[in-house]
Amino acid sequence: MSTETAGKKKLPLAAQIFIALLLAIGAGLLLQSHADFANDYIKPFGTIFLNLVKFIVGPIVLFSIMAGVISMRDIKRVGKIGGMTVLYYFLTTAVATAIGLLVANLFKGGFPALSTESLTYTAAEGSKPMDVLVNIFPSNFLTPITESSMLQVIVMALLIGFAIILLGEKADKAVEGVNRWNDIFMKCMEMILKLSPVGVFCLLCPVVAANGAMIIGSLAKVLLAAYVAYLLHALIVYSATVSTLGGTNPVKFFKGMLPAIMFAFSSASSVGTLPINMNCTNKLGADKEVSSFVLPLGATINMDGTAIYQGVCAIFIASCYGISLTAGQMLTIVLTATLASVGTAGVPGAGMVMLAMVLASVGLPIDGIALVAGVDRIFDMGRTTLNITGDASCAIIVSNLLRKGKKNKA
Ligand code: ASP
């Protein structure tokens, strides 16, 4: 990467984000004894940036999915792409949980025996598996947007998109309107993304300032287990699927994904990373029609990193309480963690709330969440990174499979 001293050529956004990331780590380490300062005066700018990103995400998901559906002009085609996508998402998430459980079992011997006496954790309400299903369907037109319930926004976008297709020529003006609004919100997003280096710095610096020393503390082993599992999943599963099904060199894939990866790591929000993920994925050769459908869906329902985290934490909490899980319980964890990750919102900290559901499903004490809550953000940065990388791999794969299908037909 070249730094332009003369002339006015700007550093590419990816380089700017990377520099911001390094500066944030440096500044965070220096500010460790002034973590309050970082929290009170640096984090708010990160929050402003994240607010802007959240503001734009609702309209982006709504219009990009509508535009994606309309451009396919055929409900059957939407069903085909949707089917492939959901299948890939479910399979990779189940594999992710299994990898998480496997790695955590390998690390189990090294998990510290923490005192579990004074733990209290109040689980959030409504963490039953069927709630996930019921909550997908909106009961009114506005709340999905005002409350950023992305699954409901997706259902709305699909319904309206289908209606437009079914109306045919009568809805020509609506097609034009949806496409123009999609362009407008994309432009807004581009403007907001220009601020991402500042956002990354202001979000990450307070985290490093507050947690820098703690990482070397007693939770290092479980954090390490989670990160090893995240890495294994990315390097084995995504490399394999992207190269065999996606026809893309894995090195090229991860390299192209770097801006999105760095952004996800700093922001811990899949939904927030959506716009930048779309950019990277399209540059890597995914069809716009596919990525505008697959990525918003993935940012909402596909969370491989979250599933790994839930598997690792279940084993960790069990071993802290001196409980040994049976094979049947492990299988239950794979199933519930896959479901729980579907119900996890793509925002910071959401996966920890859904961990309660996973623990409850195998009778582990929910209070155990308090053991890992202190460093949740560190888990979250890695799991979000994996979550969005999984979404991108799916967009590449589905695009490639569709192209192949077309060629075979011709
Ligand atoms: N922060 C994660 C994401 O946005 C969700 C989670 O907390 O696991 O993907």
Side-chain angles (χ1 to χ4, degrees):
M1 266 169 251
S2 62
T3 331
E4 315 290 334
T5 34
K8 277 209 168 162
K9 217 170 160 209
K10 270 203 182 157
L11 275 177
L13 192 62
Q16 291 181 33
I17 295 179
F18 185 64
I19 292 171
L21 196 99
L22 293 182
L23 287 177
I25 294 173
L29 289 175
L30 288 176
L31 282 173
Q32 275 191 78
S33 49
H34 297 89
D36 288 344
F37 172 83
N39 202 43
D40 294 345
Y41 295 101
I42 298 180
K43 193 176 164 194
F45 293 101
T47 310
I48 292 177
F49 172 68
L50 217 50
N51 284 348
L52 285 173
V53 169
K54 283 187 199 153
F55 145 75
I56 200 66
V57 153
I60 289 267
V61 171
L62 182 65
F63 283 96
S64 74
I65 291 198
M66 277 202 287
V69 167
I70 296 169
S71 70
M72 294 182 217
R73 279 193 215 96
D74 177 1
I75 294 185
K76 268 201 202 132
R77 190 168 162 78
V78 182
K80 192 173 160 194
I81 296 183
M84 282 195 233
T85 306
V86 171
L87 185 71
Y88 179 80
Y89 282 164
F90 270 100
L91 287 180
T92 47
T93 306
V95 171
T97 322
I99 291 182
L101 289 175
L102 200 85
V103 173
N105 274 307
L106 292 179
F107 274 71
K108 208 164 71 179
F111 286 159
L114 295 179
S115 146
T116 51
E117 274 155 25
S118 57
L119 293 178
T120 44
Y121 176 83
T122 332
E125 75 303 342
S127 36
K128 289 196 217 103
M130 285 311 277
D131 287 351
V132 172
L133 186 69
V134 172
N135 290 338
I136 293 176
F137 299 93
S139 61
N140 102 30
F141 188 73
L142 296 177
T143 32
I145 291 278
T146 55
E147 289 180 4
S148 299
S149 312
M150 288 308 153
L151 275 175
Q152 300 188 357
V153 174
I154 290 173
V155 172
M156 259 170 63
L158 287 175
L159 269 177
I160 303 174
F162 287 161
I164 294 178
I165 294 179
L166 290 172
L167 278 172
E169 274 177 16
K170 264 197 261 170
D172 276 356
K173 288 218 170 84
V175 173
E176 180 65 18
V178 167
N179 287 331
R180 288 301 77 79
W181 277 107
N182 194 26
D183 293 344
I184 292 170
F185 286 119
M186 286 286 180
K187 196 74 203 167
C188 284
M189 173 193 89
E190 215 180 286
M191 285 151 53
I192 295 171
L193 280 186
K194 291 218 168 97
L195 300 173
S196 47
V198 179
V200 161
F201 177 86
C202 298
L203 286 169
L204 193 59
C205 174
V207 177
V208 178
N211 292 298
M214 216 198 295
I215 306 177
I216 327 161
S218 61
L219 289 165
K221 286 250 168 62
V222 61
L223 279 167
L224 185 68
Y227 273 84
V228 166
Y230 296 153
L231 264 177
L232 283 179
H233 189 66
L235 295 180
I236 298 174
V237 178
Y238 298 153
S239 294
T241 54
V242 157
S243 61
T244 53
L245 301 170
T248 304
N249 181 326
V251 178
K252 182 182 156 211
F253 171 71
F254 288 115
K255 222 169 146 195
M257 283 298 293
L258 270 180
I261 284 176
M262 288 187 290
F263 189 87
F265 188 76
S266 326
S267 69
S269 168
S270 293
V271 167
T273 311
L274 189 53
I276 216 165
N277 200 10
M278 279 195 181
N279 265 343
C280 294
T281 316
N282 290 344
K283 273 192 199 149
L284 277 166
D287 293 334
K288 255 191 157 174
E289 166 197 81
V290 172
S291 62
S292 65
F293 177 75
V294 166
L295 294 181
L297 190 67
T300 318
I301 68 164
N302 183 45
M303 310 257 169
D304 294 0
T306 303
I308 286 183
Y309 151 85
Q310 288 168 342
V312 168
C313 285
I315 300 284
F316 175 72
I317 291 168
S319 91
C320 286
Y321 279 88
I323 302 169
S324 216
L325 294 173
T326 64
Q329 283 175 313
M330 303 254 191
L331 196 66
T332 310
I333 292 178
V334 173
L335 290 176
T336 36
T338 306
L339 252 189
S341 70
V342 174
T344 303
V347 294
M352 193 177 76
V353 178
M354 297 305 275
L355 178 59
M357 179 172 125
V358 177
L359 295 180
S361 73
V362 286
L364 285 173
I366 291 174
D367 277 2
I369 294 182
L371 287 170
V372 285
V375 288
D376 184 62
R377 180 67 183 214
I378 302 167
F379 281 113
D380 201 359
M381 297 191 309
R383 63 186 191 239
T384 309
T385 304
L386 196 68
N387 290 346
I388 61 108
T389 311
D391 302 340
S393 71
C394 184
I396 304 276
I397 288 167
V398 172
S399 302
N400 186 50
L401 292 180
L402 289 176
R403 258 178 247 139
K404 264 193 184 162
K406 243 188 219 162
K407 251 192 222 157
N408 288 349
K409 263 190 196 163

